[in-house]
Amino acid sequence: MLDKKHREAEALSAAAANAHARGRSKEALELYARAARAEESALSQVPTEKSHTRSILSLSIVSLLYKAQLLDAAETRIFQLLGSGDLEEWTNRQLRELLQVVSDERTIATSLHRRYSGESITVALRGGEIGSGTGPLDLILEKAAGLQSLLYRFAEWVGDYPLRVRGSPPKDLMDLMQARASEPTPGSYRLEIRLTEPLQTDLFVAPRTQPREVSDAMFEFLARLTGGAPSQLEELVPRPDYRKALLQLTRNVAPTGKRLKEIGIYRRLEDKIQSVYLTDALPAKIRDTLPREEVNVSEPRGELSGVLRALHLDKNWLELFTKDGRHIRCDTVHDMLDDVAGPMVNREVIVSGRMRERQGIRRLLAEEIELAEES
Amino acid sequence: MTEDLPELSTIRHPRHPGVSAALCEALSEATRVCLARHHEPPRTEFSVECLGNSSTRGLLWESPDDTAMRAWNNRDDATRDAAYIVSIAAVEKELGLVAISRAETRSGVDYYVGRPGAVDLEEAIRLEVSGVDHGDLSSVRRRLREKEQQALRGDSPLPAYASVVGFREKRILVSPVGRT
């Protein structure tokens, strides 16, 4: 039943993924398009009573068209498949979800080409509790604030400012960003972040950071993080303290799955729309990528989870309220950042680091903190 | 006495219809690179926990050449791809299932396993795979919980297994998700 055309589609999509990983984007797009055609032939051979098989292959076709950036063809095929009425309900749900993403991305491409002259970034929150142009206010505010913190950090890194462990961004960067909600559209809640030139406080000294450099830095960093190897991130951000800060702030923004499935970040370049996607696979990857000191066998790593009830980073401690009703105080490393840990107060977190013994008491030195998976 | 996992070069068509010869070679190469970061060839013993049963299984492998090291070290997908083929080997050894098909999703690829000889995907089981390069056992277990939650959140009613391979930790964990 899964005939040679399906095998051809498998081989072509594998070759496309390989081409994409090696930076041969045009070749990848062509291979994905050929894979979609082969999968289409395979689907035509599957009898209607094989509903699981038809459902899986149908989703595969649309996904391949999307990856080939054939958005019109993907949209048309989704309507045909939904109209056929012979797919399982879960497939129809996924097709509708895909339709929203395809429509959303087409609109983003159109609006980015049409409207903006300055440096602007469009952020689309998708899936989970996000509706069409709506979403829970707490979630939207959290992600907007997280993106703002992340962009300030990129600006500081680009401007070669010393790593800020406490407090607000440098004064001359404070007017860098204007974030605003965009018009409601099907499939996502959108934010538009416009980057403006920092204040020139001294007539003879140019600002240390330009909007385009900040935007370039963020896209390059996120592209390497989502599609490259850890060594490529090290090349881009050689300083471990800045790399760790940027990774942790990206993790704060990344979806954890249930409330939010994906964040698409877009900007217009001269000849194309550049995009990068943050998904719920990202937190685990960031965990693997964070720079860490060599393991000391006398201080094994450990982790604790609970609600973050208190923290005093100037005095290097935080306190968790665990599920079994205990309050546990942990030490924190000196470079645990305000804007990483601060937004987590009163939320379920996981802290990890080295177990140390001080004056006969065993205590966790929290080196990293992240939000726990939403249940 | 332990029985080894199937040799990775044999995880391919026709015994595994969903793995072409070229894909098998690519995934095997990724595995050699991942294992060489932490262990010495020719054999590494993995602790396998599959659906509540524990066993120790050896995996035979050869040192990767310099070209392979360079090619895969610049890619983020070495650990994931290596985890795919090692998971398929473990699922074959422990459960007698083979890789039937790859199918595209918007953000990646799903692998489906099933009984040998299956001609379609009607009884297929989705395999949700992840690899942990240098994490310890708690990292591997935590990743398994995350994969289980991800699989449960998915909109598909098809049964699934979550599988995580810890390369430094020499650990393979496989658990059922949903109504497997």
Side-chain angles (χ1 to χ4, degrees):
Chain A
M1 216 78 70
L2 287 173
D3 68 353
K4 64 179 184 183
K5 280 293 179 187
H6 176 68
R7 300 300 169 208
E8 187 184 327
E10 286 178 327
L12 286 165
S13 79
N18 190 42
H20 182 73
R22 288 166 197 271
R24 302 196 301 263
S25 303
K26 195 170 170 220
E27 182 187 342
L29 295 181
E30 285 167 6
L31 287 165
Y32 277 129
R34 285 175 57 197
R37 288 196 290 275
E39 199 78 302
E40 196 70 72
S41 298
L43 177 66
S44 69
Q45 301 300 313
V46 180
T48 49
E49 66 270 20
K50 302 285 185 186
S51 56
H52 275 0
T53 309
R54 288 186 66 81
S55 292
I56 292 166
L57 294 193
S58 298
L59 286 169
S60 184
I61 290 167
V62 176
S63 299
L64 287 164
L65 289 170
Y66 172 81
K67 287 177 177 176
Q69 292 183 12
L70 298 170
L71 297 184
D72 288 345
E75 192 175 63
T76 306
R77 196 65 184 104
I78 291 170
F79 282 126
Q80 288 168 344
L81 289 164
L82 286 171
S84 71
D86 66 349
L87 297 176
E88 294 167 341
E89 188 44 41
W90 67 271
T91 316
N92 290 335
R93 277 198 302 274
Q94 290 200 12
L95 286 172
R96 285 188 203 105
E97 205 171 278
L98 268 161
L99 180 62
Q100 290 193 334
V101 173
V102 169
S103 305
D104 194 35
E105 298 219 332
R106 285 178 52 178
T107 319
I108 286 170
T110 309
S111 62
L112 277 174
H113 276 302
R114 197 178 57 220
R115 280 197 314 213
Y116 309 131
S117 53
E119 196 60 36
S120 171
I121 294 167
T122 296
V123 179
L125 311 181
R126 295 198 182 99
E129 296 177 8
I130 297 293
S132 297
T134 67
L137 191 59
D138 64 322
L139 181 66
I140 290 164
L141 291 175
E142 175 199 323
K143 296 304 172 193
L147 282 159
Q148 192 158 308
S149 296
L150 182 61
L151 274 161
Y152 276 126
R153 289 287 178 176
F154 276 111
E156 290 169 59
W157 171 54
V158 168
D160 206 20
Y161 290 83
L163 182 75
R164 169 173 53 90
V165 179
R166 306 278 176 266
S168 305
K171 207 173 170 186
D172 52 338
L173 290 180
M174 289 303 283
D175 291 327
L176 178 72
M177 269 170 279
Q178 296 171 353
R180 57 182 69 195
S182 189
E183 74 273 26
T185 51
S188 72
Y189 183 91
R190 278 201 232 151
L191 294 165
E192 183 199 327
I193 300 173
R194 292 186 184 181
L195 300 177
T196 56
E197 285 220 7
L199 288 176
Q200 188 168 359
T201 49
D202 186 325
L203 186 61
F204 302 104
V205 181
R208 291 163 74 169
T209 307
Q210 292 297 322
R212 181 57 186 259
E213 292 171 342
V214 177
S215 172
D216 284 348
M218 186 175 84
F219 273 86
E220 184 63 29
F221 181 87
L222 295 178
R224 289 189 188 205
L225 174 62
T226 53
S231 58
Q232 292 176 305
L233 270 189
E234 285 174 37
E235 282 168 21
L236 184 70
V237 189
R239 281 179 55 176
D241 56 353
Y242 252 113
R243 198 165 66 248
K244 185 178 174 186
L246 295 170
L247 284 167
Q248 288 179 322
L249 287 164
T250 306
R251 185 166 61 187
N252 276 15
V253 171
T256 50
K258 192 178 176 190
R259 299 194 74 197
L260 179 66
K261 282 189 176 171
E262 179 183 280
I263 299 179
I265 304 176
Y266 308 82
R267 69 168 175 168
R268 185 181 76 184
L269 296 177
E270 285 70 25
D271 55 344
K272 62 174 183 177
I273 302 297
Q274 186 178 14
S275 58
V276 62
Y277 301 92
L278 314 183
T279 68
D280 59 356
L282 198 55
K285 187 166 184 187
I286 290 174
R287 206 178 302 134
D288 288 347
T289 310
L290 278 169
R292 293 190 181 93
E293 290 176 18
E294 283 300 307
V295 177
N296 179 345
V297 285
S298 67
E299 293 181 343
R301 289 190 73 78
E303 67 178 40
L304 288 169
S305 63
V307 176
L308 179 62
R309 294 298 292 169
L311 78 165
H312 196 322
L313 297 180
D314 289 343
K315 293 189 175 173
N316 297 321
W317 60 263
L318 60 79
E319 191 171 289
L320 297 181
F321 180 63
T322 62
K323 278 193 176 138
D324 56 4
R326 290 180 299 149
H327 288 266
I328 298 180
R329 191 171 279 204
C330 306
D331 299 324
T332 60
V333 288
H334 75 281
D335 61 350
M336 182 165 281
L337 304 178
D338 268 351
D339 47 359
V340 170
M344 298 181 189
V345 172
N346 283 332
R347 300 185 64 184
E348 182 92 19
V349 297
I350 298 170
V351 292
S352 59
R354 286 171 282 153
M355 297 300 298
R356 302 190 304 181
E357 200 162 307
R358 292 284 185 275
Q359 297 166 333
I361 299 170
R362 211 166 155 71
R363 201 146 123 164
L364 182 74
L365 171 65
E367 295 170 336
E368 292 162 26
I369 183 167
E370 65 178 298
L371 289 171
E373 182 84 3
E374 302 136 339
S375 56
Chain B
M1 182 178 156
T2 65
E3 279 186 65
D4 285 353
L5 293 168
E7 283 191 38
L8 297 186
S9 61
T10 71
I11 306 288
R12 51 169 287 189
H13 187 84
R15 196 173 83 234
H16 291 268
V19 183
S20 67
L23 185 61
C24 170
E25 177 50 35
L27 301 183
S28 302
E29 192 174 80
T31 308
R32 291 194 286 273
V33 169
C34 289
L35 286 170
R37 290 172 183 159
H38 309 290
H39 310 293
E40 294 290 326
R43 187 173 181 276
T44 298
E45 278 201 348
F46 278 84
S47 295
V48 183
E49 294 173 30
C50 180
L51 277 52
N53 297 315
S54 299
S55 55
T56 304
R57 305 285 186 199
L59 179 67
L60 291 173
W61 59 284
E62 295 169 354
S63 285
D65 59 29
D66 288 346
T67 312
M69 286 298 278
R70 275 197 302 276
W72 285 97
N73 268 338
N74 283 326
R75 292 175 57 172
D76 76 317
D77 42 9
T79 313
R80 182 201 64 202
D81 284 1
Y84 271 126
I85 196 162
V86 174
S87 293
I88 292 169
V91 165
E92 181 181 20
K93 186 70 196 172
E94 307 300 329
L95 304 174
L97 302 176
V98 296
I100 301 175
S101 175
R102 279 163 53 101
E104 217 69 26
T105 64
R106 187 169 74 87
S107 57
V109 177
D110 277 344
Y111 276 82
Y112 289 91
V113 295
R115 290 195 306 274
V119 294
D120 53 39
L121 298 170
E122 295 304 296
E123 304 289 328
I125 298 171
R126 195 157 47 91
L127 192 61
E128 282 271 351
V129 172
S130 188
V132 176
D133 179 28
H134 58 267
D136 57 12
L137 181 56
S138 66
S139 303
V140 181
R141 291 202 185 286
R142 185 165 158 197
R143 184 69 63 83
L144 183 70
R145 288 197 299 275
E146 289 171 350
K147 289 308 286 183
E148 289 169 350
Q149 283 167 337
Q150 270 178 24
L152 279 172
R153 276 199 302 269
D155 213 5
S156 165
L158 300 182
Y161 291 135
S163 175
V164 176
V165 180
F167 286 94
R168 191 189 78 180
E169 193 61 26
K170 298 180 285 184
R171 186 78 58 155
I172 305 169
L173 307 178
V174 183
S175 68
V177 180
R179 57 178 183 84
T180 309

